[in-house]
Amino acid sequence: MSTIRRRAEFLTRLGRLLAPLVLFLAGCGGPQPNTPIGTAAVTAGFIVFEDVQPQSGIGFRLKASMSRPCGVLQTSGHPIAMIQADEDRLPDLVFGGSDRVELYRNLGGFRFQRVAESGLDRRAFWQGCAVADVDSDGREDLFLSGYRAAALYRGLGGDRFQEVTASSGVPPDAGGAWLTSAGFADVNGDQRPDLYVGGYLRLGHRDGVCEPLPGIRTACGPMDFEAERGHLFLNDGLYRFSDVTRPAGLWETHGRTLGVAWGDANGDGYPDLYLANDRMPGDLYLHPGARFRRKEGPSVPRFTNRAVESGVAVGPDGYAHAGMGVDWGDLGNTGRADLVVTTYQREATALYRSEPGGLFTDASFASGLGGPTMPFVGYGVRWADLDNDGFSDILIANGHPLHLAEQVEPGASYAQPFQLFQNRGDETFAEQRVCGSSLPRSLVGRALATGDLDGDGKIDAVMSDLEGPPLILRNVSEHNNHWVRFRLTGPRCPIGTKITVQTGSFRAVRTCNPGGSYLSSSDPGIHFGLGAVSRLEAIEAVWPDGHRLRIREVPVDQEFVLDSRWPSGSYQGPNQPPAPSFGG
């Protein structure tokens, strides 16, 4: 065994032993003020969320334990999507359950109204979701995945959807498979969003209930079942898809996939795919990049699994972890894509820091993320700049998969607090724990989506609770930090578009990435916290097909729309032709 391997195992075991002590010593409070190197001065402070669900008008509720005992299917979770169902640019919310889908119109000011006739009518055991403008008509469409079920809904505008699954090429019964998280990306450069959907377990005729201790019947573990595998569907246009899993090289995944996230792992500008697998090594499938040449008619890039070589297949102890949720982000504003993967209790949430050359270093414990996450079971996870200081923070939804967790595992709990890790700006995090009435309740957390729900420039969050209403987390943090947000429109697929903002020594890159997390889809707006930066010298947007747009002298503290139909080039200001109507 190598010295590096022995040291990794020692650090992991030490972290597991010290995790309870870390939590005890952390107490209440937040990070200390800091000024990250290479940026303007940052206004530091607490990140504070307020749960506004009781007065929001959102009456959606889950109750997994209503019919006991709960099997592995009942406790795996349900979808949340932020979607533009109308034309007001405020994210609306979709919630799915075991027998229903509900759309809530965003009225502004954290008030929502259920849409009774949305067209989201099909009943099934819904699990995951993905959002994209499938046909480039300017309206977002919705894909739902579930247990032996799949549905594609065309957005009609005005809070209305039309199901088009039967003619889409995606089997409405999912081919009998258990489908989980899903995500869109343009894999062949034809400007259309293609779809990958993960597969979890093959239950067969079993109910997914086991008896770990005499007289205690609760959910089985994943290793009790054969692995299910996912599928890649190529967008052929007109809401028709082709299953290209085998020619794309994606059939030999490890399976048992819970988290799906597209991202540019090696910085070549092409979409790569990471799969968080439960008790199996993670998969990182790299796009062939410039070697792929699209021909006339359907053409499929062949992906290659490079998880082991890249360093993202297993945890720091060298063993496959229970991969749950996953998200790509940027830990230190390097412009490279870092990866976070949530895991089971007594396993550190994995943080893989990107290094030059497409390799990754496990920075779970070095970043301060590893120890505090070990007592919990993490599911949904998102990178987001929650305090607008210019650095991406991490939010995690926690909850145990066993509804009788307290009886099965000493010290465990079914409901758990979510966790918030504030980025210090030096590639480390401080777990923020605020006591008192401002601390939202514990929950059996699963799906997690983020976005600015009220347009105030602060990123909010929505988390599902398997045993109650969702958390609707309004960001009420007080600071003087600036921000800017970009929304993308036009015929080109926006997912995967990179925007770079720069002024003086401050430079940051963010990507349009509504997928990732766990069973959820977040708002696709590209948000930048700017700290004390009050003016941007330049921004550059690069779409997945290589189309570029540069704009100089961009004001802050507002949202702008970038249209992919504008010709490549540079503009002096936000209102100068040929960039008509640039501005919020």
Side-chain angles (χ1 to χ4, degrees), residues 84 209 234 289 328 483:
Q84 292 285 334
V209 177
L234 199 69
W328 294 96
W483 60 279

Side-chain angles (χ1 to χ4, degrees), residues 80-163:
I80 292 177
M82 293 187 179
I83 189 169
Q84 292 285 334
D86 50 24
E87 292 76 34
D88 65 0
R89 287 168 58 178
L90 287 175
D92 306 300
L93 296 176
V94 172
F95 299 94
S98 62
D99 58 356
R100 68 198 189 281
V101 180
E102 294 184 5
L103 170 66
Y104 285 85
R105 179 191 299 120
N106 190 338
L107 304 177
F110 280 90
R111 296 292 301 173
F112 294 83
Q113 181 182 57
R114 182 171 178 258
V115 179
E117 301 295 333
S118 67
L120 304 175
D121 299 328
R122 186 140 72 88
R123 292 177 174 268
F125 196 95
W126 297 118
Q127 292 248 266
C129 62
V131 174
D133 184 356
V134 170
D135 64 342
S136 300
D137 66 350
R139 294 186 289 266
E140 291 184 339
D141 309 298
L142 175 66
F143 173 79
L144 293 173
S145 56
Y147 182 65
R148 298 178 177 175
L152 179 63
Y153 286 97
R154 178 182 182 180
L156 302 177
D159 302 314
R160 293 285 298 166
F161 292 85
Q162 176 189 12
E163 186 174 359

